[in-house]
Amino acid sequence: MFSKILLSISLSIFCTLASAKSLLVNQAELEYEIKGNGDNIILFEAGAISGMSGWDAIWEQLPDNTTAIRYSRRGEGKSSSCIGDLSSSDYVRDAEELIHLLKINKPIIYVSHSYGGKIAREFAVRNQDRVTAMLFVDPINPRDVEIIEKLDPSGGKKANDKMKKDDINMGKENNWCLINDIWDKKPSLGYGDIKNIPITLIAGVKKIENPERLFDTDKARELWGVIQSEWVLKFPKGKAVMANKSGHFVQDDEPELVITELKELINRASES
């Protein structure tokens, strides 16, 4: 499902901000950056292959009352290369150790995009008292394959199987250690696993002219918004936002929307 997206990201990453630093985390050098010194600690988890540059579009617009941390996972950006297959559990351990080494003792607001949402979910389950709110920007959802099979009952499963095979082959060629985990379609951790905290999910549901893929058709975009909403609205403090002008990279297409929802989430977190 993500092969074209991953390839375009990997080809576009070419620089690291001068203010970036690196830290040895679980025997891997991870690049990171800290911005601001506000009371609200925000950890940014990028999408697959993006590295921390995946947040460039909103990084200079963050609220003044925040301390923002972004980093590149192993195998991404300027961080150490990765070896073999890695899972969200591996990346969660890195995030936990990074926060520990940075001496972040206060609870965090976790902001994530795409595959980063899987890591954020597991982090929140493993660290119930360390996450005060969460913002998901078009997160990975294992039910994406359901959309294809629903819209194409006769050939959808075969199409998904081919896409999975192609993605995994591309992942091997490019040493993407997370590709198998992306295709792990176990149900997402959700309400009941994650405690009742304020959560906002922004879904990119922009309609595309002359879509090349079934997943990009109007009906598929509508169904994508539905399954994303179903997940987040199970939380009593959950909020679903449909980004009608955005594709998968909402932070690039509508940065002002992401900033607005982040500010609103910070307020909700302070009132909880």
Side-chain angles (χ1 to χ4, degrees):
M1 199 68 69
F2 293 94
S3 56
K4 291 184 180 179
I5 293 173
L6 293 178
L7 183 59
S8 64
I9 294 171
S10 65
L11 292 174
S12 67
I13 296 173
F14 60 90
C15 67
T16 302
L17 295 179
S19 57
K21 301 178 181 179
S22 67
L23 195 61
L24 186 64
V25 177
N26 294 332
Q27 300 183 320
E29 285 285 340
L30 300 187
E31 68 167 345
Y32 74 96
E33 182 182 8
I34 299 177
K35 179 179 183 293
N37 58 1
D39 292 334
N40 298 289
I41 312 297
I42 305 177
L43 177 64
F44 286 84
E45 191 76 50
I49 313 303
S50 295
M52 68 183 198
S53 64
W55 299 108
D56 281 355
I58 65 170
W59 193 246
E60 298 304 321
Q61 303 177 49
L62 298 177
D64 293 334
N65 60 346
T66 62
T67 298
I69 305 162
R70 62 172 174 171
Y71 75 106
S72 297
R73 294 182 293 267
R74 57 182 72 207
E76 303 176 8
K78 298 296 182 180
S79 293
S80 297
S81 60
C82 58
I83 300 174
D85 289 333
L86 296 177
S87 69
S88 54
S89 296
D90 297 314
Y91 294 120
V92 167
R93 284 190 286 270
D94 283 352
E96 291 171 337
E97 182 65 8
L98 176 66
I99 288 176
H100 170 71
L101 293 173
L102 293 176
K103 296 180 170 49
I104 305 299
N105 299 315
K106 295 178 61 177
I108 64 170
I109 294 174
Y110 214 141
V111 179
S112 60
H113 172 239
S114 190
Y115 175 74
K118 185 174 184 180
I119 299 168
R121 287 168 173 141
E122 185 169 339
F123 184 100
V125 172
R126 286 171 49 128
N127 300 274
Q128 295 279 339
D129 296 327
R130 301 186 69 183
V131 181
T132 186
M134 305 178 80
L135 173 61
F136 292 90
V137 181
D138 213 42
I140 191 172
N141 191 311
R143 295 181 60 196
D144 54 3
V145 292
E146 294 179 19
I147 294 174
I148 303 301
E149 294 175 15
K150 181 173 182 177
L151 296 181
D152 183 6
S154 61
K157 186 178 187 309
K158 184 177 180 179
N160 280 331
D161 289 343
K162 182 182 184 304
M163 194 178 303
K164 177 179 179 179
K165 182 179 179 180
D166 291 345
D167 281 4
I168 290 175
N169 287 338
M170 183 176 289
K172 290 179 179 178
E173 292 173 3
N174 292 278
N175 194 35
W176 294 335
C177 297
L178 44 62
I179 197 69
N180 281 303
D181 200 44
I182 287 176
W183 275 96
D184 174 14
K185 298 301 179 180
K186 292 194 297 288
S188 296
L189 296 167
Y191 183 57
D193 305 303
I194 302 169
K195 71 177 184 179
N196 183 21
I197 56 177
I199 294 181
T200 299
L201 186 152
I202 306 174
V205 294
K206 179 182 178 180
K207 293 184 178 180
I208 300 172
E209 291 186 17
N210 304 315
E212 296 180 1
R213 305 183 304 165
L214 183 59
F215 195 69
D216 294 328
T217 60
D218 289 357
K219 185 59 178 177
R221 296 290 80 212
E222 179 183 338
L223 290 173
W224 179 245
V226 169
I227 66 171
Q228 294 282 45
S229 297
E230 287 177 353
W231 180 84
V232 72
L233 294 180
K234 289 179 181 178
F235 289 83
K237 299 177 183 178
K239 177 183 179 182
V241 178
M242 298 298 106
N244 296 305
K245 299 178 181 178
S246 296
H248 185 51
F249 294 89
V250 184
Q251 67 271 36
D252 294 333
D253 295 335
E254 294 184 79
E256 67 288 345
L257 173 63
V258 176
I259 293 297
T260 296
E261 291 302 330
L262 176 57
K263 290 178 179 178
E264 195 264 352
L265 182 65
I266 291 171
N267 290 335
R268 287 203 288 145
S270 66
E271 295 168 356
S272 297

